[in-house]
Amino acid sequence: MATVTIDGKTLEVDDGTLILDLAHSQGIHIPTFCYQKRLTTLASCRMCLVEIEGHFSLEKRLQPACATRITDGMVVRTDTPLIAQTRRSMLEILLANHPLDCPVCDKAGECELQDMVFTYGAGESRFTDKKRVFRSEDIHLNPVIVFNAQRCIQCQRCVRMCEEVVGAVAIGTVERGMNAEITGFGNSLADCDHCGNCIEVCPVGALMSSPYRYKARPWDLTEVDTICPYCGTGCHLTIGLRDGRLARVRSKYETGVNGETLCVKGRFGLDFIDGEDKLRRPMVRKDGALAAVSWEEALSYIGGHARAAAEKGTVGGLVSPRLANEALYLFQKLIRTIFHSNSIDSSTRWSAPDQAAPGIYQSLEGLFGGLYARRSLHHALKADCILVVGSNVTDDNPVSEYLIRDATRNEGKQLFMVSSRPSRLDSEAASYLRLLPGGEATLLSAVLSAFIGNDGDSPLLYRELLEHAIPAFTDAQEVTILVGVDVLRSPRAPPALLMLSSLGRALEASGKRVGVQFLFDRPNQMGAWELGVIPTVLPGWRPVGNTASRAVFEDAWGMSLSPQPGADFHQMLAQCKAGKMEMLYVVGSDPLLSYPDGELVEGALSKCGLLVVQDAFLTETARLADVVLPTAAFAEEAGTFTSNEGRVQKLQPIRRPAFEAKSNIEIFTLLASSIGHDLGPVTAQDVFSEITRLVPSYSGLDGDAIDSANGAFTTSSETSAGNGGSTPDEVLISVPREPQSINTGELELVTGDCLFHSGYVSKNSAILKALAAEPYVEISPQEASSLGLSDQDPVIVKSRYGEAKARLRVTRRFPDGVIFIPENFVEMHLNLLMKQGEHPCRVVICKEEEGIRDTIAT
Amino acid sequence: MTEKVLMKNAEAPDSHRIDTYETAGGYHALATVLRDYQPDELIKLIKDSNLRGRGGAGFATGVKWGFVPKDPALKKYLCCNADEGEPGTFKDRAIMEKDPHQMIEGMILCAYAIGAETAYIYIRGEYTLSVQRLEAALKEAYDKRYLGQRIIGSNVSLDIYVHRGAGAYICGEETALLESIEGRRGQPKLKPPFPAIEGLYASPTVINNVETLACLPHIVCRGAEWFRKIGPEKSPGPKLYCLSGHVRKPGLYELPMGIPLRELVEKHAGGARPGRKIKAVIPGGVSAPMIPESDLNVCMDFESLAAADTMLGSAGVIVIDDNDCIVRVATRIIEFFAHESCGKCTPCREGLSCAVKILRRLENGEGREGDLEQLDFLCDGIFGNSFCALGDGAAWGLRRALQIFRDEFIYHVEKRECPFH
Amino acid sequence: MTAVSATEFMTEDMRREIKEIIKRYPKRRSAIMPSLFLAQEEHGYLPDEVLLEVAGVLDVPEIWVYEIATFYTMFNTEPVGRFHIKLCTNVSCLLLEAGSLLPHLEKRLGITCGGTTDDGLFTLSIVECLGSCGTAPVMQINKTYYENLSTQRIDQILDELKAQASGAHRTIQSRDDGQEGVPA
Ligand SMILES: Cc1cc2nc3c(=O)[nH]c(=O)nc-3n(C[C@H](O)[C@H](O)[C@H](O)COP(=O)(O)O)c2cc1C
Ligand code: SF4
Ligand code: FES
């Protein structure tokens, strides 16, 4: 502790407190430009200079509050005439060159320089010489970032943001002194992440958003705070609307998990909400073609078929984990009650498990009962050791990646990365391992056996990671494990999850705190699971087969429930194929594109009794449907998302659904009543109250709890089965085979999200589509040259089942033996290359004009 | 003292070769130290000698070394500051071209004292001959096992690498120098942490000037007492003075610290050129404010010059006679600093460029009323507020010129012309 | 992850040499400056393609290389003539009338400061202090210092260099390695 006097007030504070933080805590405002909490300290703008008694040397009269730490006995003054004069001077000197083109500057009204001059400045600069002009026209660094060099005040926030937080190291400073200018290599940022975080932190109108350019003045905007619909990180964002249309998206300093950051999808990819090609009216297939009809007609059409289907209990429901909690919950309630079926699923993108379906859910229950860390990622990353398995965080969850980078850079946490593709975090990691999806179970078992001291021979591949990780785990007091979608998408997800629980338990048994979180690339997979969008468990992980569990809901819902576990989506497809599915209800999902076996889906759907698709857009699956119901897009309905962290956050609609579309919950309610049933509460708020009453982990979250900008956390549910983890010995025996070796010439195809797209929703964003218009095939330089291929070559990728074309992208540090193709491009029909249960998929690759030389060995 | 110490070999043919150096007693100090001194004892010897840094700031060398943590597990670095960019200065170049082994031996001694096994010489890129001479000298030293593993049979090791600067005066500032070696733009870093605690690659680092290092073998051979007795007790030692500008005999002079400036200029450098009178002298490179002729009796040491509101700096003495214009000189100096400002902090980056615009107008006969007040305002805004000493030095010098030769400035404003050009 | 470009400007030797340079430092980033010197020696200047390749060989972000190439004045991002004349105009030289040498050079070469002669032989720049103030005025041409300049001496030097370029090889002090010495 140190005694410090600030502006005459004497206090006790921790040694080493920053003067700036101390001042803020005392309500004393000290102006800053270059300071940003999350970034390294520069102390270059000299706005925050304060007086420290005794430090008054000849040259340095004042000290920067942003960089000076309290020592015992310090006397600090922030309000002397000298300080006021210095602030005025700094501003005046800045204004000597800063253009006063505020009337045409996008930033006017929320410009930090403008505000600062208003508060501390002299009003104008006495300097009358010509101002510096870098160039007469602003430069478009890329399609979303435009730069006006004249306005830059060289605070370097953008550069530090790009390097230290985003890790892209794309923007930098060229030249020096008065000629110093912010830019990318060759005056372009064409290859950067396009996240726009540099724009967000720019205090002035130097870096600007092209899509927002000249669209509005800040004071004309209506701002709505909501949660990003793209991935499970759950970033808080603010939509600025002008005349009801989206003008821009911003993030807010120290708000939400993301603070001032977003990724490209969140910042620029929400333009789809104003898309013109949204579904306008319900449609029913007539004479082989979809024809627009009224809601009454569509609902009664479904009603006619559905009544019979409901009696037989042969209805299946597939819903997207992009929907809000309320819609997800109501959907499973609809299918379970009105349709007497437990066949509900949300996980369209996963390969069918090669074991009995319930396996994966059992493992999940175990995790959610105990190891799952329901707290902010920020908090979870305070662990001494962080293990990331099966995720390319950089692409899947960019903002989570920023937080991991913060933790390893600034707090010296030990990071271990296990992923199929190289990631920017590799360079931050104590050790990293390239592993094909599906290999996680074997790896985790090796980690576990090494940790509990079973020194069997671990495969050579793992050795380096183990050498670093085991001592780190052993020394750690707290370990956080982040599990990516690669793990879940593999047919071997069940053993991987079992191993994960076992490892977690073993770590716990040796006295460590352990936290597991998933890195979902969909915004509400957590909600989907916890609210019962699972064939085997009711909301809150209550097994359907258990009478007491069912009784809770039967009482609450006033209907009887089937005790039979339902089918997951893989099984639903099998039922369709066998002609046993009377009605398949698909909400917000596009399995025809996303299910890893396109042929299977197409065949199955054609044999399904009634295919109902509810979506905001005409998806590929919707084109095959018998009935299409237009529903709200993101930002058109109220509700909540539950993030990867278990944080429940409120969505704020900006308007009612466009055209004749209706909100998801309204449609469910109407559908129920069209077959003569009442689904209960009708507003999102009422549905949420029901959730908080019936789902223990959500209890207490109603009312004001989730109204704050930072949402509120779910709590560990006590009713969960909690038997997912087996004892280590059991598991070691059960852990199966090594990844198989492959034939020469063949490569393993890995698919996943790229930075600009997640799933197929982002294709409706004109901006994202323009930024990443084409699919590509990523390959290592060695592999490319051994195949005689070079960067940008058009190539054909062929599996035993199909082929796809794209351009080659040769990437340094990409592993050999693997290629990556982003799965977000509709026209590629990537899933036609794959077969259910075969994962990863073996392919060969060749130049387009040459045709395929080798065929795949069968 | 007429005896030359640092330049004693300079006249010899092949003065840069190791044979010449060894013949004159070179590397004797190294052998002595490795045999008779613990690192601590060497640090104490240097402290006792009162050697102060010759790079400009005049910080006590032994004290600086003493800040380096003793923990043997920590990697430590030594950087020789051979970036000599201060206008008016050419002493380090002379050492490197004429007698580079002095400095190399000094580096080995320093590295031994602080426990560094890797050292870099940061040399300004323009000095191609110096680079060649240094590289050749390093090779000679390696061949004789003064460098490398197990130096002359001891268990001490040291590698020295040459790192060429590429045209940035600011890299002479020690933290910018470290940034530059790390491969970044040469911008000064926050202190604290000081380099002795967290310097190059975040390891404890000592940065010393070429001339500072070159003094070390002599102190070891001849003792702290001998050194302390040359010149004033508080800033003693032999010193290289660089004389340039309007004197009859410009060039490099080795004389004791503390010699009166007048003696240096008038006796050694031959005084003003025929028919001219000295008007002002910059005593320590352009970062040091000029003083008027009337102050020439000041002594050339850290304390005396500080008392005269200027500094010894790099001992680059630039003489200006009555035939030249102070506004022109001030303009050129501020142009230099504006060109060399790294651009990091607001006052230096923006303020100096404003000052340049105003000064250029004055010199071109386009002065306006209020210009001098604007310059005063800029000096106040920059001095004391800039991130590093570059801005401070620039503003200090301009402010002093404005004070001492205000009449000349006023003339430019009022008559809208330069009386000299 | 940066894409790998297909064209290569760097010789195998250079790549090898850069790999040697990397060993002198604990971090690869430190090797940017020395690598750029090498590349400039080879190409005369540093076009973007070369910068990209240096970034590739060092495996560092491209912008880092770009930053260095533009911060330091000795790196030329534009082509320069065979003889790059760098005239010091700082105070010590200025006091000895370096100011009048500049127009003289411009007139003799028929270019303005910063320009290159049509035959690609000369580029003229002004530079800050070259550390040769005791022998002012001074200029550096490529690596060589020319001191105690006067207009006559400049004429003589230019003639020599032209002759050297056209093959007639008489010599004044123009070893490309050295200087005319420092007065002591
Ligand atoms: C702008 C600026 C430029 C400097 N240039 C040099 C230089 O060229 N050579 C040098 O030795 N020191 C220079 N210094 C001083 C160094 O920062 C540092 O104090 C010195 O190298 C320490 O060595 P010493 O203790 O041996 O003097 C400069 C300082 C500043 C602020
Ligand atoms: S562009 Fe903006 S954020 Fe970047 S340095 Fe300039 S003012 Fe700061
Ligand atoms: S905020 Fe402290 S110097 Fe910029």
Side-chain angles (χ1 to χ4, degrees):
Chain A
M1 291 304 268
T3 307
V4 55
T5 307
I6 181 161
D7 290 347
K9 197 164 156 195
T10 303
L11 306 151
E12 288 281 305
V13 298
D14 286 339
D15 258 323
T17 306
L18 217 48
I19 295 182
L20 191 65
D21 289 341
L22 171 68
H24 287 181
S25 75
Q26 295 303 306
I28 299 169
H29 187 254
I30 296 180
T32 59
F33 281 127
C34 66
Y35 175 80
Q36 183 115 356
K37 192 164 195 173
R38 206 163 167 181
L39 307 176
T40 52
T41 307
L42 265 197
S44 63
C45 74
R46 317 308 277 177
M47 276 308 291
C48 69
L49 299 179
V50 294
E51 248 177 74
I52 298 170
E53 237 170 55
H55 269 240
F56 201 90
S57 71
L58 176 68
E59 326 82 83
K60 296 293 171 212
R61 298 166 296 179
L62 305 173
Q63 301 294 326
C66 69
T68 311
R69 298 187 177 275
I70 301 287
T71 52
D72 195 29
M74 217 180 229
V75 178
V76 182
R77 258 186 275 282
T78 73
D79 59 355
T80 66
L82 176 63
I83 293 169
Q85 171 57 42
T86 305
R87 289 174 185 167
R88 255 200 313 276
S89 304
M90 289 310 114
L91 289 169
E92 203 173 330
I93 289 175
L94 270 179
L95 289 186
N97 278 303
H98 189 90
L100 295 179
D101 56 355
C102 309
V104 292
C105 177
D106 278 341
K107 197 76 176 186
E110 50 191 11
C111 168
E112 291 177 33
L113 179 59
Q114 213 175 37
D115 293 350
M116 208 84 94
V117 173
F118 180 80
T119 315
Y120 299 103
E124 61 181 280
S125 176
R126 73 192 70 197
F127 301 106
T128 50
D129 288 287
K130 266 183 82 173
K131 293 182 192 248
R132 161 193 56 185
V133 177
F134 282 92
R135 54 174 68 78
S136 55
E137 305 245 314
D138 298 350
I139 45 175
H140 289 267
L141 293 169
N142 65 30
V144 292
I145 304 176
V146 49
F147 182 62
N148 180 308
Q150 278 84 253
R151 295 182 189 146
C152 172
I153 59 168
Q154 279 296 326
C155 67
Q156 298 274 328
R157 285 197 214 161
C158 51
V159 176
R160 284 175 288 158
M161 175 54 79
C162 186
E163 172 165 349
E164 296 167 14
V165 177
V166 178
V169 204
I171 198 167
T173 317
V174 296
E175 303 294 338
R176 69 181 188 213
M178 271 300 279
N179 297 323
E181 194 186 351
I182 299 299
T183 190
F185 189 95
N187 277 336
S188 156
L189 288 176
D191 293 328
C192 83
D193 286 13
H194 296 71
C195 61
N197 290 323
C198 54
I199 302 173
E200 189 60 53
V201 295
C202 182
V204 293
L207 286 161
M208 292 168 288
S209 151
S210 306
Y212 173 61
R213 194 129 212 242
Y214 302 138
K215 272 241 178 94
R217 316 304 332 241
W219 51 84
D220 291 334
L221 294 175
T222 312
E223 300 212 306
V224 179
D225 285 4
T226 190
I227 303 303
C228 178
Y230 278 110
C231 87
T233 302
C235 294
H236 181 277
L237 49 79
T238 303
I239 300 179
L241 296 157
R242 169 115 203 242
D243 302 329
R245 292 178 68 83
L246 178 137
R248 68 167 184 196
V249 171
R250 287 195 65 178
S251 40
K252 281 190 179 154
Y253 194 58
E254 296 194 349
T255 305
V257 62
N258 51 314
E260 61 274 65
T261 64
L262 283 172
C263 79
V264 59
K265 297 185 287 278
R267 195 177 297 283
F268 296 110
L270 295 190
D271 53 338
F272 73 87
I273 61 183
D274 287 329
E276 287 301 314
D277 51 357
K278 275 201 268 189
L279 285 171
R280 297 170 180 230
R281 302 184 62 196
M283 292 187 284
V284 169
R285 188 166 299 279
K286 290 181 179 165
D287 304 325
L290 286 170
V293 298
S294 68
W295 273 102
E296 291 71 28
E297 188 179 340
L299 290 169
S300 73
Y301 184 88
I302 300 173
H305 285 72
R307 239 179 296 259
E311 272 152 32
K312 289 192 224 155
T314 50
V315 173
L318 178 71
V319 63
S320 164
R322 294 188 179 284
L323 264 56
N325 284 323
E326 293 73 4
L328 291 169
Y329 172 84
L330 212 56
F331 182 69
Q332 60 87 33
K333 183 175 175 185
L334 174 78
I335 303 287
R336 290 191 206 277
T337 56
I338 317 286
F339 294 110
H340 295 292
S341 165
N342 287 318
S343 298
I344 308 153
D345 204 349
S346 63
S347 41
T348 58
R349 295 173 49 259
W350 304 348
S351 275
D354 56 5
Q355 298 179 3
I360 189 166
Y361 299 114
Q362 256 168 26
S363 318
L364 287 175
E365 285 170 51
L367 281 176
F368 282 94
L371 293 171
Y372 203 86
R374 295 169 195 269
R375 55 177 171 195
S376 74
L377 181 57
H378 186 78
H379 207 104
L381 291 172
K382 294 219 179 294
D384 327 84
C385 266
I386 302 159
L387 170 65
V388 177
V389 197
S391 169
N392 191 316
V393 212
T394 310
D395 292 301
D396 294 347
N397 303 85
V399 174
S400 297
E401 195 233 26
Y402 306 163
L403 291 173
I404 300 173
R405 178 169 296 104
D406 276 354
T408 46
R409 277 210 170 184
N410 303 336
E411 294 169 38
K413 307 301 177 192
Q414 295 238 54
L415 174 67
F416 300 93
M417 294 289 300
V418 178
S419 64
S420 56
R421 291 188 274 154
S423 120
R424 281 191 197 139
L425 285 178
D426 293 346
S427 58
E428 234 70 69
S431 177
Y432 66 85
L433 172 67
R434 285 288 89 79
L435 193 71
L436 280 177
E440 295 88 0
T442 321
L443 168 77
L444 288 167
S445 95
V447 174
L448 176 57
S449 27
F451 180 72
I452 59 178
N454 262 7
D455 20 52
D457 260 351
S458 56
L460 204 59
L461 178 68
Y462 303 158
R463 208 150 289 164
E464 199 201 315
L465 182 88
L466 293 179
E467 255 164 38
H468 289 90
I470 300 305
F473 281 12
T474 309
D475 288 349
Q477 297 192 339
E478 187 175 350
V479 178
T480 287
I481 305 177
L482 301 173
V483 185
V485 284
D486 277 4
V487 175
L488 300 171
R489 302 171 65 183
S490 144
R492 302 188 60 222
L497 292 172
L498 275 176
M499 282 314 312
L500 188 69
S501 313
S502 305
L503 175 61
R505 269 152 222 258
L507 288 164
E508 271 181 343
S510 61
K512 306 180 189 311
R513 267 169 294 139
V514 183
V516 173
Q517 280 186 2
F518 286 100
L519 292 166
F520 296 121
D521 59 348
R522 298 293 191 272
N524 204 18
Q525 187 68 58
M526 273 296 280
W529 278 351
E530 295 226 277
L531 301 179
V533 183
I534 292 184
T536 55
V537 292
L538 292 157
W541 303 101
R542 294 182 179 93
V544 254
N546 181 307
T547 319
S549 296
R550 277 199 315 282
V552 175
F553 294 95
E554 286 172 335
D555 283 354
W557 294 342
M559 312 253 303
S560 70
L561 298 176
S562 160
Q564 288 302 315
D568 65 13
F569 189 61
H570 316 293
Q571 293 161 333
M572 289 184 223
L573 287 174
Q575 289 175 9
C576 287
K577 238 175 136 177
K580 289 191 191 140
M581 182 66 82
E582 299 288 333
M583 170 175 160
L584 187 63
Y585 191 2
V586 176
V587 182
S589 255
D590 197 359
L592 193 66
L593 284 181
S594 56
Y595 187 81
D597 189 336
E599 207 183 324
L600 174 74
V601 181
E602 186 156 9
L605 293 184
S606 68
K607 298 217 176 88
C608 142
L610 181 74
L611 177 62
V612 179
V613 173
Q614 176 169 320
D615 210 302
F617 295 94
L618 188 66
T619 61
E620 296 295 297
T621 309
R623 290 175 201 279
L624 300 179
D626 300 301
V627 185
V628 178
L629 303 175
T631 186
F634 167 74
E636 290 176 342
E637 63 183 339
T640 55
F641 278 159
T642 307
S643 77
N644 291 345
E645 313 165 292
R647 190 201 293 251
V648 183
Q649 306 184 96
K650 244 186 174 165
L651 297 165
Q652 298 290 354
I654 58 168
R655 64 165 89 99
R656 58 161 308 281
F659 311 110
E660 286 182 29
K662 293 183 188 299
S663 80
N664 283 293
I665 53 178
E666 190 182 353
I667 299 173
F668 298 147
T669 315
L670 288 173
L671 194 67
S673 56
S674 79
I675 31 180
H677 288 286
D678 178 5
L679 207 50
V682 288
T683 67
Q685 210 167 4
D686 294 341
V687 177
F688 192 73
S689 311
E690 182 176 317
I691 293 173
T692 59
R693 280 198 307 277
L694 293 177
V695 183
S697 51
Y698 283 68
S699 82
L701 296 186
D702 46 352
D704 306 335
I706 58 166
D707 274 346
S708 95
N710 289 324
F713 287 88
T714 54
T715 42
S716 242
S717 99
E718 279 153 32
T719 55
S720 71
N723 63 348
S726 339
T727 67
D729 291 346
E730 244 179 89
V731 173
L732 283 177
I733 301 158
S734 76
V735 159
R737 53 177 210 231
E738 286 284 305
Q740 290 162 15
S741 61
I742 61 173
N743 299 324
T744 45
E746 290 183 5
L747 297 162
E748 301 275 12
L749 167 64
V750 174
T751 68
D753 288 322
C754 65
L755 194 53
F756 300 92
H757 294 290
S758 79
Y760 295 90
V761 171
S762 51
K763 78 170 198 296
N764 298 303
S765 154
I767 296 178
L768 293 179
K769 229 167 120 178
L771 292 181
E774 281 193 5
Y776 55 86
V777 178
E778 209 169 0
I779 196 167
S780 75
Q782 296 79 355
E783 209 70 73
S785 75
S786 78
L787 290 165
L789 299 170
S790 14
D791 197 48
Q792 293 303 317
D793 279 353
V795 293
I796 299 179
V797 176
K798 192 171 175 181
S799 77
R800 286 163 59 193
Y801 311 104
E803 60 179 59
K805 292 177 189 176
R807 280 187 190 279
L808 200 66
R809 181 183 287 181
V810 182
T811 305
R812 249 190 261 155
R813 300 203 205 127
F814 200 80
D816 294 343
V818 184
I819 59 168
F820 169 78
I821 304 181
E823 60 188 16
N824 324 100
F825 295 88
V826 179
E827 62 281 10
M828 248 205 137
H829 289 285
L830 197 55
N831 59 355
L832 292 178
L833 269 65
M834 302 175 197
K835 197 88 204 149
Q836 187 191 53
E838 288 180 24
H839 181 87
C841 160
R842 303 270 161 84
V843 293
V844 292
I845 177 173
C846 68
K847 251 197 198 134
E848 201 178 309
E849 61 270 17
E850 286 173 12
I852 295 283
R853 281 167 305 195
D854 320 294
T855 36
I856 300 270
T858 38
Chain B
M1 183 194 73
T2 42
E3 181 202 346
K4 284 190 181 170
V5 179
L6 298 169
M7 286 289 123
K8 71 167 190 256
N9 296 334
E11 301 298 336
D14 282 344
S15 64
H16 54 279
R17 300 231 181 272
I18 199 163
D19 300 343
T20 319
Y21 186 64
E22 282 181 329
T23 310
Y27 289 109
H28 184 68
L30 177 61
T32 311
V33 161
L34 292 182
R35 194 183 58 234
D36 300 339
Y37 286 77
Q38 289 301 308
D40 268 357
E41 293 166 337
L42 180 56
I43 296 179
K44 181 166 184 308
L45 176 77
I46 302 306
K47 277 184 186 161
D48 288 346
S49 75
N50 281 358
L51 169 64
R52 292 174 62 177
R54 306 300 198 228
F59 197 84
T61 304
V63 175
K64 187 192 281 189
W65 296 0
F67 293 146
V68 174
K70 304 278 181 273
D71 181 355
L74 287 175
K75 184 147 176 72
K76 299 161 194 96
Y77 291 98
L78 163 65
C79 295
C80 169
N81 190 341
D83 196 44
E84 191 165 70
E86 183 70 30
T89 314
F90 43 91
K91 63 188 181 69
D92 297 341
R93 178 180 155 207
I95 294 175
M96 292 185 286
E97 287 182 4
K98 303 280 182 195
D99 199 353
H101 283 286
Q102 276 186 104
M103 160 190 145
I104 292 172
E105 188 178 7
M107 286 181 75
I108 308 170
L109 295 173
C110 173
Y112 173 73
I114 62 166
E117 296 196 335
T118 308
Y120 297 95
I121 301 172
Y122 190 95
I123 181 167
R124 63 176 300 189
E126 294 87 346
Y127 280 2
T128 41
L129 182 62
S130 296
V131 171
Q132 277 170 20
R133 294 257 159 103
L134 277 175
E135 277 175 346
L138 287 172
K139 184 164 183 314
E140 288 175 326
Y142 269 103
D143 289 347
K144 295 236 168 173
R145 314 227 30 198
Y146 295 133
L147 285 173
Q149 296 297 305
R150 307 184 58 81
I151 291 172
I152 46 175
S154 69
N155 52 9
V156 176
S157 305
L158 176 67
D159 285 309
I160 300 184
Y161 304 104
V162 174
H163 188 99
R164 279 178 78 192
Y169 163 74
I170 188 59
C171 291
E173 196 281 337
E174 56 186 13
T175 58
L177 181 150
L178 299 180
E179 289 285 281
S180 186
I181 297 182
E182 289 187 21
R184 297 169 211 271
R185 305 167 78 238
Q187 295 194 316
K189 279 198 290 197
L190 264 177
K191 290 191 272 196
F194 289 93
I197 309 296
E198 218 182 296
L200 193 61
Y201 308 111
S203 299
T205 303
V206 161
I207 300 116
N208 271 138
N209 170 260
V210 172
E211 188 185 351
T212 314
L213 292 165
C215 288
L216 300 174
H218 304 288
I219 298 175
V220 169
C221 288
R222 303 173 73 168
E225 176 117 358
W226 161 79
F227 192 85
R228 217 168 47 232
K229 292 234 161 91
I230 303 171
E233 169 110 19
K234 278 188 174 167
S235 24
K239 180 77 194 93
L240 300 179
Y241 298 99
C242 318
L243 272 288
S244 69
H246 295 147
V247 282
R248 277 191 227 219
K249 291 191 289 173
L252 190 72
Y253 295 88
E254 179 174 356
L255 291 160
M257 272 283 207
I259 181 176
L261 180 53
R262 191 178 296 284
E263 184 184 330
L264 187 59
V265 171
E266 292 183 350
K267 181 169 156 217
H268 296 280
R273 295 192 293 181
R276 305 279 179 79
K277 269 179 56 202
I278 290 173
K279 176 155 76 178
V281 176
I282 296 171
V286 300
S287 298
M290 57 181 67
I291 51 176
E293 200 276 345
S294 54
D295 279 357
L296 279 197
N297 294 334
V298 68
C299 291
M300 295 293 282
D301 61 74
F302 295 109
E303 281 73 21
S304 310
L305 283 162
D309 209 352
T310 181
M311 63 176 185
L312 178 61
S314 61
V317 179
I318 306 173
V319 179
I320 305 155
D321 69 23
D322 58 355
N323 210 30
D324 221 311
C325 171
I326 293 296
V327 178
R328 179 164 93 134
V329 171
T331 306
R332 188 62 191 88
I333 291 176
I334 298 301
E335 278 174 354
F336 165 74
F337 283 119
H339 183 254
E340 298 301 332
S341 166
C342 74
K344 181 169 184 154
C345 74
T346 307
C348 172
R349 178 186 67 246
E350 311 275 338
L352 290 177
S353 97
C354 288
V356 166
K357 286 178 194 164
I358 299 168
L359 286 164
R360 280 193 185 146
R361 275 198 291 99
L362 290 180
E363 182 59 9
N364 292 339
E366 295 157 14
R368 300 179 199 145
E369 206 179 319
D371 277 351
L372 299 191
E373 290 68 29
Q374 286 190 15
L375 289 174
D376 292 337
F377 168 82
L378 284 169
C379 290
D380 286 348
I382 300 169
F383 186 79
N385 296 330
S386 63
F387 188 92
C388 83
L390 184 145
D392 290 334
W396 187 21
L398 180 58
R399 176 196 273 169
R400 290 294 290 142
L402 279 162
Q403 285 166 354
I404 304 170
F405 297 100
R406 193 132 191 125
D407 289 350
E408 262 187 53
F409 283 90
I410 291 175
Y411 184 97
H412 282 73
V413 178
E414 288 181 348
K415 297 282 187 311
R416 297 183 131 250
E417 64 173 31
C418 173
F420 299 92
H421 299 105
Chain C
M1 305 299 124
T2 15
V4 174
S5 101
T7 38
E8 286 175 3
F9 289 75
M10 245 184 233
T11 60
E12 243 343 281
D13 276 356
M14 259 174 82
R15 284 166 192 275
R16 237 193 326 272
E17 212 165 328
I18 290 180
K19 300 221 164 96
E20 281 305 307
I21 292 174
I22 291 173
K23 293 188 194 149
R24 295 184 209 155
Y25 307 96
K27 298 236 164 100
R28 312 167 75 85
R29 188 174 187 173
S30 292
I32 298 177
M33 278 174 81
S35 303
L36 290 181
F37 270 121
L38 263 183
Q40 180 157 297
E41 194 98 334
E42 178 89 11
H43 289 269
Y45 77 111
L46 298 169
D48 282 0
E49 295 78 4
V50 170
L51 299 182
L52 286 175
E53 256 187 72
V54 169
V57 178
L58 294 178
D59 198 9
V60 296
E62 289 145 7
I63 186 72
W64 285 359
V65 179
Y66 195 35
E67 287 185 330
I68 298 300
T70 56
F71 184 89
Y72 297 95
T73 55
M74 284 178 72
F75 296 128
N76 306 316
T77 47
E78 299 294 325
V80 290
R82 177 160 161 202
F83 301 108
H84 190 175
I85 302 176
K86 290 164 271 188
L87 178 73
C88 172
T89 59
N90 212 299
V91 181
S92 302
C93 288
L94 184 82
L95 292 172
L96 299 176
E97 297 316 321
S100 65
L101 298 181
L102 182 64
H104 182 75
L105 273 164
E106 289 181 329
K107 203 172 98 220
R108 272 294 314 258
L109 297 170
I111 52 177
T112 53
C113 184
T116 300
T117 52
D118 290 340
D119 57 6
L121 225 44
F122 296 100
T123 297
L124 175 62
S125 309
I126 55 170
V127 293
E128 298 297 359
C129 178
L130 286 167
S132 205
C133 325
T135 46
V138 206
M139 66 184 179
Q140 186 177 24
I141 303 182
N142 297 351
K143 294 178 177 174
T144 310
Y145 274 54
Y146 295 88
E147 300 163 274
N148 296 311
L149 294 177
S150 59
T151 46
Q152 295 87 326
R153 187 149 158 64
I154 283 180
D155 290 346
Q156 187 196 352
I157 293 164
L158 292 183
D159 291 343
E160 285 292 337
L161 292 177
K162 279 185 197 156
Q164 186 184 325
S166 63
H169 211 112
R170 282 180 304 130
T171 131
I172 58 163
Q173 272 272 7
S174 64
R175 302 167 297 157
D176 205 31
D177 60 344
Q179 318 176 327
E180 299 175 331
V182 180

